[in-house]
């Protein structure tokens, strides 16, 4: 069985650590990737870590994951709150999907409280900062281990 996990990041997450540290912390996207690689190594998972500012590209990667990946960890960023297209793409993926947000979206502006993605996610993590990605990978490892052969 594939142990590949796509870790997908949406728009503006390339700016992490460069602005708004009071909301998103001081760690950069490279730090997030390093944390994911360390967690994946520990858990025996292989990750494809990607970020895009384009909805189209994220959708293409979700389609690609259908063929290659056992699970998806996704921080859709602002597309969380707007994108039926990303929801539809994720709906066509068969394995576990974990939605991650660095900030606690429920403590923020009302427009961030709604997520289109949560309806197809196996689980949602919000407000755990970069640690949330490692927790998401732990959950993926557990779900894959529990999956009937
Ligand atoms: O908390 C999260 O992880 C979010 O997905 C981040 C998104 C936001 O639209 C969601 O509501 C919650 C924003 C990512 C942009 O990150 C920036 C980082 C530094 C400077 C500017 C934007």
């Amino acid at each position: 069985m594939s142990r590949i996990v796509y870790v997908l990041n949406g728009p503006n997450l390339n700016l992490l650590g460069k602005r708004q540290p009071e909301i998103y912390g001081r760690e950069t996207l490279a730090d997030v990737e390093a944390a994911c690689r360390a967690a994946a190594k520990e858990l025996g998972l292989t990750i494809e870590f990607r970020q895009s500012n384009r909805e189209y590209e994220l959708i293409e990667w979700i389609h690609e994951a259908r063929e290659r990946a056992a699970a998806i960890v996704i921080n859709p960023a602002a597309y969380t709150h707007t994108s039926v297209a990303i929801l539809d793409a994720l709906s066509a993926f068969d394995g576990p999907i974990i939605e991650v947000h660095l900030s606690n979206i429920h403590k923020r502006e009302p427009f961030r409280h709604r997520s289109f993605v949560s309806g197809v996610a196996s689980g949602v993590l919000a407000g755990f900062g970069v640690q949330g990605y490692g927790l998401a990978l732990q959950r993926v490892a557990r779900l894959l281990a529990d999956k009937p052969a």
Side-chain angles (χ1 to χ4, degrees):
M1 200 210 347
S2 156
R3 299 280 289 172
I4 300 173
V5 182
Y6 273 40
V7 182
L8 302 179
N9 296 279
N12 300 309
L13 284 165
N14 54 314
L15 298 178
L16 267 188
K18 295 176 182 149
R19 287 198 49 206
Q20 297 189 274
E22 66 288 358
I23 300 175
Y24 300 115
R26 294 195 180 279
E27 285 161 294
T28 64
L29 193 64
D31 295 327
V32 177
E33 179 169 0
C36 287
R37 293 208 178 279
K41 193 172 175 195
E42 196 76 17
L43 295 161
L45 301 171
T46 301
I47 58 165
E48 281 283 348
F49 188 95
R50 301 183 187 172
Q51 186 274 332
S52 180
N53 294 324
R54 299 192 184 96
E55 190 175 29
Y56 161 83
E57 200 160 30
L58 291 161
I59 291 166
E60 290 290 308
W61 290 341
I62 294 165
H63 292 177
E64 187 184 300
R66 278 164 47 78
E67 308 299 325
R68 293 194 60 221
I72 295 176
V73 170
I74 184 164
N75 183 346
Y79 290 140
T80 308
H81 320 297
T82 63
S83 180
V84 175
I86 287 178
L87 163 69
D88 287 345
L90 288 169
S91 307
F93 181 78
D94 281 334
I97 297 165
I98 310 291
E99 176 184 350
V100 179
H101 299 285
L102 293 156
S103 63
N104 179 358
I105 53 176
H106 302 290
K107 202 174 154 186
R108 300 182 62 192
E109 304 94 321
F111 69 85
R112 294 187 203 272
H113 299 178
R114 180 185 67 169
S115 165
F116 282 105
V117 170
S118 295
V120 291
S122 313
V124 183
L125 286 147
F128 292 85
V130 175
Q131 193 187 359
Y133 283 76
L135 296 171
L137 288 167
Q138 278 184 32
R139 184 64 185 152
V140 160
R142 169 65 69 86
L143 291 171
L144 295 181
D146 288 350
K147 196 176 153 190

